Amino acid sequence: MPGTWQEKMAEIVEEARKRDDFVVVHHYDADGCSSGAIMNKALLREGKKVSRKWVKQLYRETIAEIRGLGRNYVFVDFGSGQLGYLKEEFGENLFVFDHHQRTDVGHPHHFTPFEFGINGGTEVSASGIAYLFARTLNQKNLDLLPLAIVGAVGDVQDFSGKLIGLNAEIVKEGAAAGLVKVEKDLRLYGRVTRPLVQFLMYSTSPMLPELTANEENCRKFLQENGIRLKEASSSARNGCGTIGHSGDYGGEFSGQAGAEVNGDAHAERWRTYIDLSRDEKSLLATALILHLHKFRVPEWKISELFGEVYSFPEEDAHSPCSEAKEYSTLLNACGRHSFADVGVEVCLGNRGEFYSRAITLMAEHRRQLREGIEFVLKNGLKEEEAFYYFDAGGKIGESIVGIVAGMLYGSNLIVTNKPIIAIAQNEDGSLKISGRATKDLVHAGINLGIAFRDVCAEIGGGSEGGGHAVAAGLKLEKRNLQAFLEKLNVKLEEQQGKTK
Ligand SMILES: [Mn+2]
């Protein structure tokens, strides 16, 4: 019988204490980078020798390289699904901290929340688990707590409007320690760095009728409500604010928005949501609610506008690192452009050279997303009974194609009643398949992670199939594509109780 998670963690911590010469292997997204950074820092603090390796996905071929980097192998944000062969490869020298769908294989140093009735999809992410390890190892590691929240938010575990379960306990601990500020507020993305017009026009959950993807209307809406769009730039803010504001905020929907923002960086700067006074904030919230009522948007959708926002008072207030969602986007941008190490350095506290590189990568990331969206808008989506799909060929990078798929829900190109499957090309000529679904679809029974895994097992092709209910990815040989799409169609129908 398993004990509590605390007991299990304490056992793993004791085992780690006895050892040295660690290799921390982590995923390249926000949760992977933050959990990798937490592990790295925590082990260094104990005087251990640590090296780091990030990977996009854990393929068997990577194992030999990892083996050469040290003597004890710590996998964060993946490993549960590969536990069988990792155990064969590394035996007693293996440590795994993962929150993905559970496995039947066991290992004494494998931590999975599912073993304790905690849902790894919604209640804790890898960075949360890494933090709990770090905190058990040494109380000093409390200062790493914000990263636990960044990873959880990066994995969209706040999709109900706030973090829940073990994540919520971590938030509470952080708030008590003054490391996290929790506000119930408008939770549109970009409150720290997006000019107000973009802040509104990129809202996709909820969709704001006549505002989402409509720059001119957003400008009018703000002006009609008496909210100034610009203010004199103060010299004190030039360090960080200027990087943020002169960066490419060209939108993912339209190229023009960015151009205009770029041209105007000297005397005045664009205000962002955090620049608004308390009165202006409540005025904007009220105006948005009235606007949505006017379009008869149902109350449950309007409520998506509000939720918990997590910010970090110890960071510069105008840095993306001051708010969980923007921090996680910064890390994703680094990882998805093959610079996960830059992201980890930012997590470890670098606010100099690595930070500047991260900001540049984020601008590049946004540009590529915009081009990806434009590609799909131009070429259209194909439709099956149970999903939409598009084949980007080599036109959209395999590392961002999933994000592009998710953003299509806001594009007015489709109704949001089916998952979106995106196909892109890996460097080795195989295909990368990414799927995205909405919350409503998950309520209706859809679980893309399970669907991908099952279909892979059925066709005996594809690898590393898996992921979460709302987002999943896998690698597939080209010749298996048709079989994959057909079986996925059946599987997704089954999940919604529609039998064929
Ligand atoms: Mn994760």
Side-chain angles (χ1 to χ4, degrees), residues 29 31-32 77 99-100 125-126 155 468:
D29 69 0
D31 188 35
D77 203 20
H99 68 118
H100 292 87
S125 71
D155 272 1
H468 306 282

